[in-house]
Amino acid sequence: MPRKGRRPARSLVFRRWLAVGALVLIALLYYRPLKAYVDARGQLAEHRHVVQSLRADKLRLEHRLGSSTSIATLAREARALGYVRPGERLYIVKGINHWRKQQRASMMAHRGR
């Protein structure tokens, strides 16, 4: 006849289940803080990227501001906006694109000969 093993004492089984329950409780209590920590690290990386991008934009704008304070740059920007100096006349030429197309067509016709 096979011999059956002896069962552990009830107090030992209770202590084991109590230890397992304590471990599960600790795991549940640590879950939210760990999840919050991981999420915060992800957000921190995103924010660092945004800050780095904003710093690069700031440097670019500061450089642009520094170059825009010169008289030559201001005059060039004013001309781009359509301003003229006192005593100059402003002429508005229309149909430049149409004229360019005609010039290209006539050049192509002369090449074909």
Side-chain angles (χ1 to χ4, degrees), residues 12-30:
L12 185 62
V13 172
F14 179 72
R15 275 189 260 161
R16 284 183 186 166
W17 279 109
L18 187 64
V20 169
L23 287 174
V24 168
L25 179 66
I26 290 171
L28 287 174
L29 291 175
Y30 271 99

Side-chain angles (χ1 to χ4, degrees), residues 38-78:
V38 170
D39 291 343
R41 281 186 66 189
Q43 288 178 354
L44 181 63
E46 288 178 22
H47 289 208
R48 282 184 180 159
H49 179 70
V50 169
V51 167
Q52 185 179 12
S53 173
L54 290 173
R55 282 184 180 151
D57 287 346
K58 180 185 175 196
L59 287 174
R60 183 181 52 79
L61 289 172
E62 285 176 349
H63 177 71
R64 187 173 169 195
L65 176 66
S67 68
S68 70
T69 56
S70 70
I71 299 297
T73 306
L74 288 175
R76 187 172 50 248
E77 293 289 330

